Amino acid sequence: MDYSSNSRWALPVILVCFFIVLLSNNVVFASHKVFIHLQSQNAVNVQTVHRTGYHFQPEKHWINAPMYFNGVYHLFYQYNPNGSVWGNIVWAHSVSKDLINWINLEPAIYPSKPFDQFGTWSGSATILPGNKPVILYTGIVDANQTQVQNYAIPANVSDPYLREWIKPDNNPLIVADDSINKTKFRDPTTAWMGKDGHWRIVMGSLRKHSRGLAIMYRSKDFMKWVKAKHPLHSTNGTGNWECPDFFPVALKGTNGIDQYGEEYKYVLKNSMDLTRFEYYTLGKYDTKKDRYVPDVGSIDSWKGLRFDYGNFYASKTFYDTSKNRRVIWGWSNESDIFPEDDNAKGWAGIQLIPRKVWLDPSGKQLIQWPVEELETLRTQKVQLSNKKLNNGEKIEVTGITPAQADVEVTFSFASLDKAESFDSSWTDMYAQDVCGLKGADVQGGLGPFGLATLATENLEENTPVFFRVFKAQQNYKVLLCSDAKRSTLKFNETMYKVSFAGFVDVDLADKKLSLRSLIDNSVIESFGAGGKTCITSRVYPTLAINEKAHLFAFNNGTEPITIETLDAWSMGKAKIQY
């Protein structure tokens, strides 16, 4: 990822990518301005009002490749140790036994050699034969942002926390040839071994005419790398690809796999520099030609599938051998526009809750669900069942801490007859644009219904997460929205308050829809229909904070809705040792 930018979007390495953006009229524009006057301004007073309780973030300042080794999870992430905006970036390092509670260590990698003296950017971790971990990362060698690929190894592999990392002097391992844009050449993936005994990695890049591509390199010994004749995949008009991720998924079941055979389905994910969103396709991997081909119907552009339709970027997956699962980890930036706001808070950026990911039985998309370890933080529990909500009614969920909660609810309805018609003029629109037209306050037929999170008693402030069902020509279309337009009464001109949304590919034969929302002071992660569609929102209420926050289930549709079951828990704080 372009770490020279106004970077606030990034992801830990776990690894991460990152950048800062300017936001206007619900559109995200990249900005490549570096805030010299703020990037080294240390936080004296760290504000805690909107800090998360169970999401990972450092004690202060700005963050933006995960690895499981000998019983320990390692999170490497892009971090500014001196300020709350992008700059002075190092590879920070934290370790955990459970992906929830963390111990912060000294930085693992920082600029110190000719091959990375101008920056140590994102990359990935690989475990080599003999149980030897190695990190591949992008180094910046000059002020022109010329990018090369380096490696680092543990100084002492017997150290359970791998505290110290060495950058050997035979770096860089890979230097771009003249066919490659040397300033758009970064973020190496985790390496995999082919049947021919050669290692493979891909990196994101950009070719003329705005063609994004995943360049492939091969190596017999992990030291000498040769560029493949063709990229693994490329798509015209998509701009620079950042933080690519390429991995197999099993055709059945929820277990992860780490074998690159032609019998599996494959996922290719890219973080798109032009939109600052992530997109993925499902397809086949021709291991002889080293080419990836998306499935017919898997859209390979802006209207394609996303891991998350909200504030989510620079994600990275890893195979967790301890539980035989594929885990994805994403990063979420702040939603205030100006870097001075982050500097005033004293911190910026969080890691989202790690998610288990697997292939939906339909074979057309992925499913994501928070890792099971998160449930150890659940404390007080309340339950509701068989509660009917007529048009305009809401019910408050009490007995928990609404500002820091985990809520699972299943809604049912007796009929689909009142579902509104899906306007043919919306066909070419993005889901979030439809949500902008049909918000939580706009009465519908079947919906909107859902949860009003981080709300005041009278809903002056609230972030509703809701469903709306439409009747299309051949079927029904289900929209899931997380609408931040009324999330705060303050900072109206400096906040990115948008209607994030995604369509949910779900069978409504049983006339039920489920929703899980993780609420943590300034973040709401929502999972619709068992994790088919996920949306993350970052919000900053001024009244609905701490004990003054409320949580409601509501229905603003003319079709009555029944809360079949609702289970809600107060969430304890994760233990993070600084």
Side-chain angles (χ1 to χ4, degrees), residues 3 137 147 247 280 303 355 366 373 407 410 475 490:
Y3 305 123
Y137 71 97
Q147 296 158 24
F247 58 92
Y280 76 88
K303 291 192 175 180
R355 306 169 181 178
L366 298 175
E373 291 90 336
V407 188
T410 297
N475 53 16
K490 202 174 181 181

Side-chain angles (χ1 to χ4, degrees), residues 196-404:
D196 59 0
H198 286 76
W199 291 99
R200 288 157 171 83
I201 58 170
V202 298
M203 283 170 286
S205 189
L206 173 69
R207 186 177 290 167
K208 63 181 180 179
H209 306 307
S210 196
R211 177 175 286 274
L213 66 162
I215 304 174
M216 173 176 282
Y217 281 79
R218 305 186 188 99
S219 176
K220 183 73 173 179
D221 60 3
F222 215 84
M223 291 290 106
K224 182 179 180 181
W225 293 85
V226 178
K227 184 167 70 74
K229 184 178 180 180
H230 302 287
L232 176 71
H233 188 59
S234 67
T235 306
N236 195 33
T238 53
N240 186 40
W241 288 4
E242 300 183 309
C243 303
D245 203 2
F246 182 63
F247 58 92
V249 288
L251 299 180
K252 295 182 180 179
T254 66
N255 286 342
I257 54 177
D258 199 31
Q259 302 170 34
Y260 286 67
E262 292 191 350
E263 64 270 32
Y264 305 117
K265 185 86 75 173
Y266 284 82
V267 180
L268 177 62
K269 183 275 303 186
N270 293 289
S271 304
M272 300 302 192
D273 195 20
L274 285 179
T275 64
R276 301 302 186 180
F277 290 127
E278 295 199 315
Y279 307 84
Y280 76 88
T281 56
L282 293 166
K284 297 180 179 179
Y285 172 39
D286 186 328
T287 60
K288 295 182 177 64
K289 296 181 179 179
D290 272 329
R291 302 295 290 267
Y292 167 79
V293 181
D295 290 342
V296 174
S298 193
I299 299 173
D300 197 8
S301 64
W302 308 137
K303 291 192 175 180
L305 295 166
R306 301 189 205 171
F307 287 132
D308 192 295
Y309 291 83
N311 198 333
F312 182 101
Y313 198 77
S315 66
K316 183 73 180 73
T317 69
F318 72 99
Y319 177 66
D320 183 357
T321 56
S322 68
K323 295 196 173 182
N324 194 21
R325 60 187 176 182
R326 173 71 58 173
V327 176
I328 184 172
W329 213 331
W331 169 86
S332 186
N333 72 310
E334 304 304 311
S335 287
D336 34 21
I337 295 176
F338 298 113
E340 288 81 3
D341 295 330
D342 293 336
N343 193 63
K345 288 200 304 284
W347 53 276
I350 63 169
Q351 285 308 124
L352 298 172
I353 297 300
R355 306 169 181 178
K356 180 179 176 179
V357 60
W358 67 94
L359 185 67
D360 182 75
S362 70
K364 296 180 179 179
Q365 68 168 93
L366 298 175
I367 300 293
Q368 299 167 80
W369 200 247
V371 294
E372 61 187 23
E373 291 90 336
L374 179 65
E375 298 172 14
T376 63
L377 296 182
R378 290 172 170 176
T379 56
Q380 301 102 313
K381 179 182 180 181
V382 296
Q383 293 179 292
L384 297 175
S385 61
N386 297 317
K387 297 290 185 180
K388 188 176 182 179
L389 293 175
N390 292 311
N391 181 26
E393 292 184 339
K394 66 180 187 294
I395 183 171
E396 184 167 7
V397 180
T398 60
I400 60 167
T401 55
Q404 197 167 301

Side-chain angles (χ1 to χ4, degrees), residues 104-121:
N104 285 324
L105 306 176
E106 290 298 309
I109 302 174
Y110 47 87
S112 64
K113 301 278 186 127
F115 48 77
D116 66 8
Q117 60 184 322
F118 283 81
T120 52
W121 293 1

